[in-house]
Amino acid sequence: MAIKTFGYTSFVMSFLEKILGTKFTVTGIENIPNQPTMFVANHFTRSETFFVPYIIFKKTGKQARTLADSKLYVGILGKFLNAVGTVSTKNEKRDNIIVNDLVKGKYNWIIYPEGSMIKSKDIIRDNLFISNTPYRNGPVRTGSAVLALKSELYRNDLIQAHKNGNNEMLKYLLQNHDLDYEDGINNLTTHIVPLNITYYPIRPGANKIQEIANRIVKKIPKQIAEELEIEGNILTGAQINIHFGKSINLANYIKNKKVLINQIPIIKQDTKNNFILRYFRSKLTNEFMEKIYSDTEINFDHIFIACLMHYPEEKINLLKLKKIIYYSAILINKSHNYRCNPSINPQKLSKLFSDELFHEFDDVFNLAISQNVIKILDQNLIEINKNIFERNIEFHEIRLENTLHVVANEFSLLENATAIIKRVTRYNDNEITKKVFNEIYNLDQQHFLSDYNKKFDKTFSKKTEIGMPFFYDNDMQKNNNIGIVLCHGYKSAPAEVEPLAKYLNEIGFKIYAVRLQGHGTAPDDLADSSWQDWYDSLQVGYSALSLICQKIIIIGFSTGGLLTLLSASKKKNLSKLCAIVSISSALKLVSIASKFAQGVEMWNEVLNKFSLSKGQLQYVDDHPENPNINYSRNYISGVVQLEKLMNECNKSLNLVDLPALIIQGKNDPVVDPKSAENIYKKINSNIKYLSMLDFNNHVIIYSERRELVFKEIKNFLNKLNLF
């Protein structure tokens, strides 16, 4: 076998990985021992035969051999498979080759215990793992366990025979198992490493690989066409997570029973070995199969389809479905029993309630509609087709016709996670609404405290109450169903909007004051934050209020005003957002350079050629209007993000069509007052007002005459019959 050939193959696979855009994530590398190892993996795609050995070689530098269907050993492909060390399933010496490699630590091995691809992921019957395919329906074969156990037993026999000069045993092992003693095997122990491969998302549909194949071959067999469609999409667009579980040390695993059996007199060593094999083969197989599937990485699709399956009724409100998905994902994350895909990251999931496009939900929702899993009855109500999960679909068609059933089968193996979802689906709407709101709010505050502790700076950090996002409820009957999201400005914190929050809360509104990422902690936190992060921070507040309010208003100051306008441009039709207020928002600053007392020329150079000058100037100290709240150090990267936000907002203004109030100080020393006029002209709102107030400072919501601003807002809301 040519190691060089395998190296070339890995190079080609690496090249294809980049060309196709295949997204591999690999975890658990630390679980791979520096010992002879048999990797046992779940089998869902044909391409695993190629990319799993490549990944192992890439991450460990060690070659792992695998078996391949005997039908593939023809022509050039057959020569290639032989060259890289793959062994045919019909090779008469197959078992001896595997055992020999493991005994001597020459090569590791990858075995798929299911025997063939399990396209349906239907792998459990009566608590036993089964191979459910057109070719075989029965318990998972124990061959991989037997081969791994044999390698451990035969190695020990070789060592003992060599040590004791037992030539008869050495001859027996050579004649029957092609094994001879070699120096160095004394310190070896065979390990089994469970290997889980999880794909997300699994989708049917046209793809580049399928397109190329159709050009080359005019008439592709139906089964191959299905594999090209599903696996082509996986290789070109899905995340492929490969996880190496904790290894099973076979010497330790069989130690106690082996000691007992070896004490039996008269019986030959070969018979004793067979006793051990019979005792452990099924036990070991079930154990590593359980480990393989319990390491499944839970993703958004899993939770989506499980919520539909276990919801006790056939009709469900769309918002309630999202609440169930959110809270189920939160509890699964909190359990720390499972590996969780980034698609169910708690901070990301609140976007479910943002009234904006959320790819993870929208994509699987549309798939569910197209495959008749659900039907839309009206804009807020869907019907679940429970019968879809009972349909018998041909093995080679199920991934195409009922993709989510495959996903559901995979998730159903995770008993505790399934139990969580069953429990959550039983909550009434009031219960789950309260739980989800509290979770979003608490996570928002915890996120701030985590950032604060991580970035704390004795010189620059304020008290935590300055930067903490906050919520004011409203028990008044009037306006009880209307919430207002308040958003502070650049280099500032939620405390900046606190006076306005109290004013609006006292006249009857629920208030959620957000903290923009990178703010309220320490100035260098801004260096690690993007304008997209700021936008997402605003949506957390919006999402929380959307759970408990029928209508939402967003009021933003300065940078917060830009985010308010941008948010209004992105909301879907029929969203809860009913009005916006933008205060002192900059499409153009008076003079960026003038804000920095020193190095004006250098600052201009940084502004024009930022990428070239980044190392020369990271920040500039300044003197904020409210030093008890604002940062007194301005990071250049933060200003660059602010400029990007201004440009993004400017491009989106024509999409804003909600009632809007634009407020601007006439003599603002930071924001060019023309910005307000431009915003007013560019937005497409039928109801819009421009209020130019007589202020000489920038932070007009926190100055002595702020009541003038507050009354403008109150009058605007009154005109809209929102107050």
Side-chain angles (χ1 to χ4, degrees):
M1 176 174 50
I3 299 294
K4 186 179 289 186
T5 304
F6 191 85
Y8 290 149
T9 304
S10 293
F11 174 78
V12 172
M13 284 295 297
S14 178
F15 178 74
L16 289 174
E17 181 183 357
K18 293 175 182 176
I19 293 296
L20 296 175
T22 307
K23 303 167 188 172
F24 291 113
T25 57
V26 183
T27 51
I29 292 294
E30 68 280 2
N31 292 325
I32 302 176
N34 190 25
Q35 290 285 339
T37 301
M38 176 181 283
F39 299 97
V40 286
N42 56 311
H43 199 11
F44 184 67
T45 68
R46 198 171 298 279
S47 53
E48 289 156 359
T49 305
F50 301 98
F51 73 68
V52 173
Y54 156 67
I55 290 295
I56 292 173
F57 183 76
K58 180 180 179 181
K59 295 296 181 179
T60 68
K62 297 179 181 179
Q63 183 173 346
R65 303 177 73 179
T66 186
L67 297 172
D69 193 321
S70 59
K71 296 174 184 176
L72 299 176
Y73 284 81
V74 291
I76 296 175
L77 179 58
K79 291 179 181 179
F80 168 76
L81 291 172
N82 281 320
V84 297
T86 303
V87 176
S88 168
T89 52
K90 294 292 179 66
N91 188 318
E92 292 180 356
K93 292 192 173 183
R94 177 194 68 186
D95 291 358
N96 280 357
I97 292 170
I98 295 172
V99 172
N100 199 303
D101 282 349
L102 292 174
V103 165
K104 298 179 180 180
K106 290 166 63 178
Y107 300 104
N108 293 330
W109 269 85
I110 305 161
I111 301 290
Y112 300 96
E114 293 148 343
S116 60
M117 291 186 290
I118 308 296
K119 293 184 177 182
S120 65
K121 292 190 180 287
D122 184 8
I123 191 72
I124 285 281
R125 285 284 188 283
D126 300 323
N127 295 319
L128 291 176
F129 287 95
I130 61 163
S131 292
N132 184 17
T133 73
Y135 320 109
R136 181 174 179 272
N137 195 327
V140 168
R141 296 191 189 279
T142 58
S144 52
V146 169
L147 292 172
L149 287 166
K150 280 184 176 181
S151 72
E152 182 61 30
L153 293 169
Y154 293 168
R155 183 190 304 109
N156 189 65
D157 290 346
L158 273 174
I159 293 169
Q160 292 302 316
H162 176 75
K163 180 180 178 181
N164 299 328
N166 188 343
N167 292 326
E168 184 179 347
M169 174 59 76
L170 291 172
K171 183 179 179 181
Y172 170 81
L173 290 169
L174 181 61
Q175 290 179 345
N176 290 276
H177 304 296
D178 295 331
L179 287 169
D180 57 345
Y181 179 83
E182 290 182 3
D183 291 334
I185 67 172
N186 299 56
N187 297 320
L188 299 181
T189 301
T190 301
H191 289 245
I192 290 180
V193 172
L195 192 161
N196 176 274
I197 308 166
T198 309
Y199 302 96
Y200 172 73
I202 301 168
R203 295 288 184 270
N207 59 76
K208 289 186 289 186
I209 294 175
Q210 184 186 39
E211 183 182 336
I212 293 169
N214 286 331
R215 288 178 183 175
I216 298 172
V217 182
K218 290 185 178 180
K219 192 173 182 180
I220 298 175
K222 189 176 181 181
Q223 179 181 333
I224 301 300
E226 182 269 348
E227 291 174 9
L228 285 170
E229 183 169 342
I230 292 296
E231 298 191 32
N233 277 314
I234 284 173
L235 291 172
T236 57
Q239 301 168 33
I240 304 174
N241 178 259
I242 300 170
H243 179 75
F244 299 94
K246 292 183 179 179
S247 68
I248 302 170
N249 182 323
L250 291 186
N252 294 335
Y253 189 80
I254 65 175
K255 182 178 179 180
N256 293 336
K257 290 294 179 184
K258 183 183 174 186
V259 169
L260 289 174
I261 291 172
N262 281 340
Q263 290 175 355
I264 301 174
I266 304 174
I267 300 176
K268 292 182 178 180
Q269 186 60 40
D270 202 37
T271 304
K272 292 178 181 179
N273 286 344
N274 285 333
F275 281 160
I276 293 171
L277 292 174
R278 288 174 186 172
Y279 181 84
F280 283 108
R281 63 190 302 167
S282 295
K283 182 176 183 292
L284 179 58
T285 299
N286 283 327
E287 188 168 323
F288 65 60
M289 288 299 295
E290 171 63 31
K291 288 189 175 185
I292 290 170
Y293 279 98
S294 65
D295 277 334
T296 296
E297 185 183 67
I298 298 177
N299 58 55
F300 193 92
D301 284 4
H302 286 133
I303 295 177
F304 175 88
I305 192 60
C307 289
L308 291 177
M309 281 187 69
H310 297 295
Y311 190 69
E313 301 173 26
E314 292 186 354
K315 296 178 182 178
I316 184 171
N317 177 276
L318 184 57
L319 180 57
K320 185 172 184 182
L321 172 61
K322 290 181 177 182
K323 293 172 189 174
I324 292 171
I325 291 170
Y326 177 90
Y327 198 59
S328 297
I330 290 294
L331 293 183
I332 288 170
N333 270 285
K334 283 185 173 182
S335 74
H336 301 296
N337 291 327
Y338 299 103
R339 299 187 314 109
C340 295
N341 183 272
S343 61
I344 59 169
N345 180 296
Q347 292 180 3
K348 184 177 186 177
L349 279 176
S350 63
K351 291 181 181 179
L352 277 167
F353 313 106
S354 68
D355 288 336
E356 295 183 12
L357 296 176
F358 182 39
H359 175 75
E360 284 78 359
F361 179 84
D362 298 339
D363 186 48
V364 70
F365 187 78
N366 290 331
L367 177 65
I369 293 172
S370 68
Q371 295 190 342
N372 298 316
V373 176
I374 58 174
K375 181 169 68 174
I376 299 175
L377 300 179
D378 63 39
Q379 65 188 37
N380 293 314
L381 189 66
I382 61 173
E383 184 176 56
I384 307 166
N385 181 5
K386 300 281 188 177
N387 296 327
I388 199 78
F389 304 112
E390 307 299 327
R391 281 178 56 198
N392 289 320
I393 299 177
E394 200 271 323
F395 181 78
H396 294 297
E397 294 295 319
I398 190 168
R399 298 192 298 186
L400 292 177
E401 294 185 16
N402 202 346
T403 314
L404 290 175
H405 194 180
V406 176
V407 175
N409 285 341
E410 181 176 52
F411 184 78
S412 67
L413 302 173
L414 308 175
E415 293 183 2
N416 290 337
T418 299
I420 286 172
I421 286 180
K422 286 181 178 179
R423 185 170 77 250
V424 174
T425 58
R426 268 59 179 179
Y427 290 137
N428 65 46
D429 195 52
N430 287 334
E431 285 178 311
I432 197 163
T433 297
K434 185 176 180 180
K435 289 178 182 294
V436 173
F437 175 85
N438 288 338
E439 200 64 46
I440 291 175
Y441 183 43
N442 291 336
L443 279 173
D444 197 17
Q445 293 194 319
Q446 289 169 21
H447 180 55
F448 161 69
L449 291 173
S450 175
D451 286 354
Y452 183 87
N453 292 329
K454 192 184 301 180
K455 292 289 186 177
F456 180 78
D457 186 305
K458 290 182 180 180
T459 303
F460 294 103
S461 294
K462 321 293 182 187
K463 293 180 179 179
T464 54
E465 53 263 35
I466 298 296
M468 181 77 79
F470 61 84
F471 169 69
Y472 292 161
D473 203 350
N474 167 37
D475 295 327
M476 297 170 61
Q477 188 172 358
K478 187 177 181 180
N479 303 331
N480 192 41
N481 288 321
I482 303 177
I484 297 178
V485 183
L486 293 181
C487 187
H488 62 80
Y490 179 67
K491 296 200 299 129
S492 192
E496 182 176 65
V497 300
E498 187 176 10
L500 178 57
K502 289 179 177 178
Y503 177 88
L504 293 170
N505 182 244
E506 286 173 0
I507 60 176
F509 295 100
K510 298 179 188 293
I511 305 294
Y512 196 117
V514 301
R515 176 196 71 106
L516 301 182
Q517 179 68 32
H519 293 72
T521 52
D524 71 333
D525 203 5
L526 272 177
D528 301 323
S529 304
S530 68
W531 71 263
Q532 292 95 335
D533 293 328
W534 304 341
Y535 185 83
D536 289 344
S537 299
L538 175 62
Q539 300 316 309
V540 171
Y542 182 94
S543 295
L545 286 184
S546 74
L547 292 161
I548 57 174
C549 299
Q550 295 301 314
K551 294 181 179 180
I552 297 174
I553 302 155
I554 305 179
I555 301 176
F557 169 74
S558 193
T559 296
L562 294 175
L563 294 167
T564 297
L565 292 161
L566 188 58
S567 184
S569 74
K570 291 179 179 291
K571 296 302 177 191
K572 292 180 181 178
N573 291 334
L574 305 175
S575 77
K576 292 185 175 182
L577 185 60
C578 63
I580 59 170
V581 179
S582 174
I583 307 167
S584 304
S585 299
L587 293 181
K588 182 180 179 182
L589 300 180
V590 171
S591 172
I592 294 178
S594 68
K595 298 309 298 176
F596 305 107
Q598 301 175 355
V600 173
E601 290 182 1
M602 181 181 290
W603 167 242
N604 287 331
E605 183 180 350
V606 169
L607 189 62
N608 294 326
K609 299 179 180 179
F610 180 74
S611 60
L612 298 177
S613 307
K614 184 176 180 181
Q616 298 177 25
L617 182 64
Q618 294 295 314
Y619 59 82
V620 175
D621 290 325
D622 61 8
H623 304 284
E625 191 174 323
N626 295 298
N628 59 316
I629 296 175
N630 293 71
Y631 293 153
S632 57
R633 175 168 287 178
N634 196 353
Y635 272 77
I636 306 305
S637 56
V639 178
V640 170
Q641 291 302 315
L642 179 56
E643 278 210 309
K644 289 180 178 179
L645 174 60
M646 286 190 284
N647 292 333
E648 192 70 25
C649 182
N650 197 20
K651 290 187 294 184
S652 304
L653 287 176
N654 65 314
L655 299 175
V656 178
D657 57 7
L658 291 166
L661 170 62
I662 313 300
I663 300 176
Q664 177 62 50
K666 291 180 180 179
N667 299 304
D668 191 325
V670 175
V671 174
D672 188 335
K674 291 181 180 178
S675 288
E677 296 173 8
N678 289 333
I679 291 170
Y680 178 79
K681 290 176 182 177
K682 289 183 178 182
I683 61 175
N684 279 318
S685 305
N686 291 326
I687 302 173
K688 57 182 179 179
Y689 301 93
L690 174 61
S691 178
M692 303 295 290
L693 301 179
D694 190 16
F695 280 88
N696 297 320
N697 64 314
H698 176 57
V699 191
I700 59 178
I701 62 168
Y702 204 79
S703 60
E704 291 182 1
R705 297 166 55 238
R706 59 194 178 215
E707 290 286 335
L708 292 175
V709 180
F710 298 173
K711 287 179 180 178
E712 285 290 314
I713 296 171
K714 180 181 177 181
N715 291 337
F716 169 66
L717 299 179
N718 190 37
K719 290 175 183 176
L720 299 178
N721 295 318
L722 296 173
F723 170 71

